[in-house]
Amino acid sequence: MARIDDDILNFIEDHPSSSSGEIHKAVGKTSFATTKRAIAVLVATGQLIAEGQTRATRYILSPASRLFSIIDMAIYFEKEIDERKIKEGFNFQLITNVLRDVHLFTADEGNYLQQLQEEFRNNVSHMTAAAYNKEMERLAIDLSWKSSQIEGNTYSLLETERLLKDKETAAGKPKDDATMLLNHKEALNFIIETPDYVVPLTIARIEDIHSILIKDLEVERNIRQRRVGILGTNYKPLDNEHQIREALEYMCRLINRKNNIFEKSLLALILLSYIQAFNDGNQRTARIISNAILIANQYCPISFRTIDAVEYKKAMLIFYEQNNVSVIKKIFIEQFRFAVKTYF
């Protein structure tokens, strides 16, 4: 139904306050009942707002309508940075309003994720403590490697394993690359040993995780006090410390009030990256906090091992520039499936 959903949203964007009949006439490639079901789903997920009753009902786009529209990444990035029409400034409404009342996952996506989680729980229940710890160790190594690789780290997966298990550094590699990997492992060990640390999520706890990740690297701790730019985009994060802290506070409230664990985890992943609260290490912190939320609730953590670093970066750029979660959400679902099927 994804295609008809997108057609409906595009039509209503150009023709607000349309009836279901008018929408079907414009986009209906199947039955009227199918169009009506698609409209009902869009209303239920917060993408459309219904005004009026019965035959007088008209539909308009909600502020959240473009969160889920389908974006072809290949076509999107055919345009160079300065050619893309983007949301250049930080969108406070995204956190305070748009994301507050929507469900990030469709019913089918939610059911699929929950089935995977039940599979994880069932598998873990039949594992010995030693076997479980071995798989968690393997996942932690993979996550440390991939999260660092996304940030330009030059260690291979095999070199990462030697470093984290045997403290054997790779010849000819920068010292900071080894430090970054060791910090990842330390942060993950801390989360595994104190799983409730991010419940509830607070700014201070986020700063603590960030401090572990940037230890012995030439990176400033705590909330940044100067402007930062992001490579590959004209999106400009907030540059005022007080506004950054305010955005983080709103983000923590949003995540803490959500009941769905997958939504909490995905929100942490995208919003900590979007806010860019620190001078460096934002996405590393986002990936660890996202996993910390999963671990705290006995959900399977995610290693991101099979995602291409460039594809991951592009997915995040789409969120920065369009406030659209469709691509990064797909990655999240795929990587959760990979973790359940691979490690447990």
Side-chain angles (χ1 to χ4, degrees):
M1 195 178 287
R3 183 66 260 168
I4 190 173
D5 287 359
D6 210 34
D7 289 343
I8 290 170
L9 293 172
N10 287 331
F11 176 75
I12 296 177
E13 183 173 26
D14 295 331
H15 305 85
S17 297
S18 294
S19 67
S20 58
E22 291 167 337
I23 295 168
H24 178 69
K25 184 177 180 180
V27 306
K29 299 170 184 175
T30 53
S31 67
F32 181 51
T34 299
T35 302
K36 290 272 286 184
R37 283 196 297 271
I39 292 171
V41 169
L42 291 171
V43 171
T45 57
Q47 298 178 71
L48 288 182
I49 296 173
E51 297 181 326
Q53 296 180 345
T54 61
R55 293 185 179 182
T57 303
R58 296 292 185 268
Y59 300 93
I60 62 172
L61 294 182
S62 75
S65 61
R66 286 305 174 186
L67 275 174
F68 310 105
S69 60
I70 304 303
I71 292 182
D72 187 314
M73 222 166 31
I75 294 174
Y76 185 83
F77 287 104
E78 282 180 355
K79 294 183 178 180
E80 295 297 334
I81 298 173
D82 297 326
E83 297 175 336
R84 298 198 293 266
K85 185 179 179 181
I86 73 167
K87 302 177 186 297
E88 289 193 7
F90 182 84
N91 183 5
F92 254 109
Q93 287 291 312
L94 185 64
I95 303 177
T96 61
N97 184 27
V98 175
L99 288 166
R100 185 183 59 198
D101 299 317
V102 301
H103 299 293
L104 291 180
F105 299 98
T106 66
D108 287 344
E109 290 168 343
N111 289 336
Y112 179 61
L113 286 168
Q114 199 56 50
Q115 287 170 10
L116 288 169
Q117 171 60 17
E118 291 306 315
E119 181 179 338
F120 165 73
R121 282 181 175 161
N122 181 61
N123 291 345
V124 167
S125 70
H126 293 91
M127 295 174 74
T128 64
Y132 175 79
N133 291 334
K134 182 179 179 181
E135 289 308 299
M136 283 296 290
E137 175 80 3
R138 189 161 69 99
L139 188 150
I141 290 170
D142 286 352
L143 174 57
S144 299
W145 168 69
K146 177 55 70 171
S147 184
S148 298
Q149 187 203 50
I150 290 171
E151 304 307 316
N153 196 290
T154 59
Y155 268 62
S156 69
L157 180 54
L158 182 58
E159 289 168 338
T160 299
E161 183 178 5
R162 288 173 180 162
L163 173 68
L164 299 183
K165 293 179 76 172
D166 305 323
K167 299 298 184 286
E168 180 183 330
T169 57
K173 303 287 186 179
K175 180 183 176 182
D176 281 357
D177 281 10
T179 302
M180 182 188 292
L181 289 161
L182 290 166
N183 288 350
H184 266 89
K185 189 61 164 56
E186 183 179 344
L188 285 165
N189 287 344
F190 176 76
I191 290 300
I192 292 169
E193 291 166 5
T194 54
D196 293 334
Y197 197 71
V198 295
V199 182
L201 188 62
T202 66
I203 296 175
R205 301 292 171 90
I206 295 168
E207 288 180 310
D208 288 346
I209 300 302
H210 176 258
S211 294
I212 297 173
L213 286 165
I214 55 94
K215 186 177 68 173
D216 297 327
L217 298 171
E218 294 184 5
V219 177
E220 297 174 22
R221 295 180 57 190
N222 302 324
I223 306 301
R224 60 181 167 84
Q225 299 179 347
R226 56 185 173 85
R227 183 178 302 173
V228 295
I230 302 174
L231 190 65
T233 181
N234 286 329
Y235 162 64
K236 299 177 180 65
L238 295 167
D239 58 10
N240 179 285
E241 179 187 359
H242 300 292
Q243 287 185 319
I244 294 170
R245 193 169 290 278
E246 183 181 16
L248 284 173
E249 186 61 45
Y250 280 125
M251 182 204 71
C252 289
R253 290 180 193 171
L254 172 66
I255 292 173
N256 289 334
R257 75 186 291 269
K258 290 281 185 178
N259 294 319
N260 185 286
I261 305 305
F262 294 113
E263 288 199 6
K264 287 175 178 282
S265 180
L266 180 57
L267 284 169
L269 183 69
I270 60 178
L271 292 180
L272 278 168
S273 300
Y274 183 59
I275 294 169
Q276 293 279 310
F278 309 106
N279 285 311
D280 197 6
N282 292 285
Q283 290 202 36
R284 278 170 275 166
T285 304
R287 287 186 287 272
I288 297 299
I289 296 291
S290 177
N291 269 300
I293 290 170
L294 293 172
I295 292 169
N297 291 278
Q298 295 83 51
Y299 277 52
C300 182
I302 302 174
S303 71
F304 297 99
R305 194 182 87 188
T306 61
I307 183 62
D308 178 78
V310 173
E311 296 301 296
Y312 182 92
K313 291 176 182 178
K314 285 181 176 179
M316 290 309 307
L317 289 183
I318 286 175
F319 182 73
Y320 298 162
E321 297 182 355
Q322 302 299 332
N323 297 161
N324 182 290
V325 302
S326 62
V327 182
I328 193 65
K329 179 174 71 165
K330 182 180 178 182
I331 288 173
F332 181 93
I333 294 171
E334 289 172 347
Q335 292 303 306
F336 187 78
R337 177 191 178 280
F338 173 81
V340 172
K341 299 293 185 180
T342 302
Y343 303 105
F344 304 99

